[in-house]
Structure formats: C-alpha cells, structure tokens
Amino acid sequence: MEVLVKLQQDYYRSHCGNVKPGDTWDHFDSYLIKIAEKRNIALMGLETSAKQIEMLNASVEMDWDEVDKEVKDWLKAWDDPDEERERCSFSYAYRSMQLDYQFDETCPEGLMVKGRNEQWMPVLTDFLKAKNCFVAVGLFHLTCDCGLIVKLREAGYSVEPITDLL
C-alpha cells in the first residue's frame, strides 16, 4: 500500500502541476513549513511520518492482488493524456479552492480519516485554547460530518479558509 500511495503522490506532482519548476518544495507540507519558518511561526505536528505509515498499513482493506492491480493501473495511466485530465481534476479544483466539503455526508469509518480526526480533536482544542493558530491538514480531514471543520465548529470555534498564504 505504501508503494501505491507513493506512486499516486509522484503522479500528482509530475502530471498535475502541483509542483512548479523552481519550487523549493515537493509537497504542500514542505511549502507550509517554509512559510512558517520564513515568518518565525512555531510549528506543531499532529503525528509523525512513522505513525502515518503505521495507520496506513493498519487501514488497508485491499489484499495484495487488489493493490497490485491499482499499481498497474496507475503505471498504465502514466503517459495517457485522457487519464491525466481525469486524475488531475481533483488537483485543479483543490488549487482553485473549488471544493465540496460535503458537510452533510456521513464520514466513512476507518483510521485514516475519521480515526485520526477523533485523535486530533483533543490536541487541537487544547492548543486552540492556549493560542490562536493556523491549522493545516489534508482535504479529506475537512470533509463530511466527521471533518475537522464540522467538529471544531460544533466545539464553538470559528473556522475560515485562508486562500492566499504569500
């Protein structure tokens, strides 16, 4: 599963314009870290990379044959412009902030999103009580009825998007 996720990340970086020539980062997390460091803003992580990989592997509901098929599909799509339009449509919507947060949808069960959101909420609310802060997480942690936007609003917080970081 780790190989599949890495392949997908590399596809989005190389095909969808997520990383531009001259960028000094190759992941959105690195971009945000660079901005924070440039502005002398303290950083706090919600989990380590090792914990993310552990949860990814624990949440896999696919057997090796299914993962193998997915890897082959992504490799086959690598040079197909029709596939690129389809697979990159999410990246294009994300960059233009044309997002559907689906707040009324029920969150799928599992560790990767719902479970992590549940683990993060006490940490986030404790931190937010101590000081005003900017929180950055992946989009799927913001969507559906278990998303952090809904949960923070239910806890009484005002949550607003920031569209221009520089």
Side-chain angles (χ1 to χ4, degrees):
M1 194 62 182
E2 291 173 48
V3 171
L4 176 58
V5 170
K6 182 65 174 159
L7 179 63
Q8 291 168 336
Q9 288 174 340
D10 285 347
Y11 183 93
Y12 292 126
R13 268 195 289 271
S14 64
H15 287 71
C16 303
N18 294 359
V19 177
K20 305 260 187 275
D23 283 352
T24 56
W25 53 86
D26 64 356
H27 193 277
F28 193 58
D29 291 353
S30 303
Y31 170 68
L32 293 173
I33 289 167
K34 181 176 179 141
I35 291 170
E37 289 171 347
K38 184 177 179 180
R39 296 182 179 179
N40 294 318
I41 298 172
L43 297 169
M44 180 187 113
L46 294 169
E47 63 195 17
T48 64
S49 295
K51 183 68 173 172
Q52 290 177 4
I53 291 170
E54 176 188 320
M55 290 181 124
L56 173 67
N57 288 326
S59 70
V60 174
E61 296 179 6
M62 299 166 69
D63 64 27
W64 170 247
D65 289 335
E66 293 170 308
V67 174
D68 182 51
K69 182 185 178 315
E70 282 289 312
V71 167
K72 288 175 181 171
D73 286 347
W74 279 90
L75 290 171
K76 184 178 161 190
W78 203 267
D79 294 320
D80 185 340
D82 293 329
E83 285 285 333
E84 185 173 310
R85 278 189 290 282
E86 176 69 25
R87 291 176 190 251
C88 293
S89 62
F90 175 78
S91 290
Y92 303 149
Y94 190 89
R95 277 199 310 273
S96 65
M97 297 299 288
Q98 302 299 312
L99 304 171
D100 179 4
Y101 292 99
Q102 305 171 12
F103 294 137
D104 295 327
E105 296 291 321
T106 301
C107 197
E109 294 295 325
L111 288 175
M112 286 308 292
V113 176
K114 187 174 183 178
R116 290 163 76 198
N117 287 358
E118 289 169 356
Q119 291 173 9
W120 293 346
M121 275 301 293
V123 176
L124 287 172
T125 55
D126 285 349
F127 195 71
L128 289 166
K129 287 175 190 170
K131 60 175 73 179
N132 187 21
C133 66
F134 169 83
V135 176
V137 295
L139 176 64
F140 294 120
H141 292 287
L142 304 176
T143 61
C144 300
D145 63 352
C146 73
L148 295 175
I149 292 173
V150 168
K151 294 302 179 189
L152 286 167
R153 287 178 176 163
E154 286 174 355
Y157 292 92
S158 173
V159 181
E160 301 297 329
I162 296 175
T163 58
D164 184 15
L165 294 175
L166 286 178

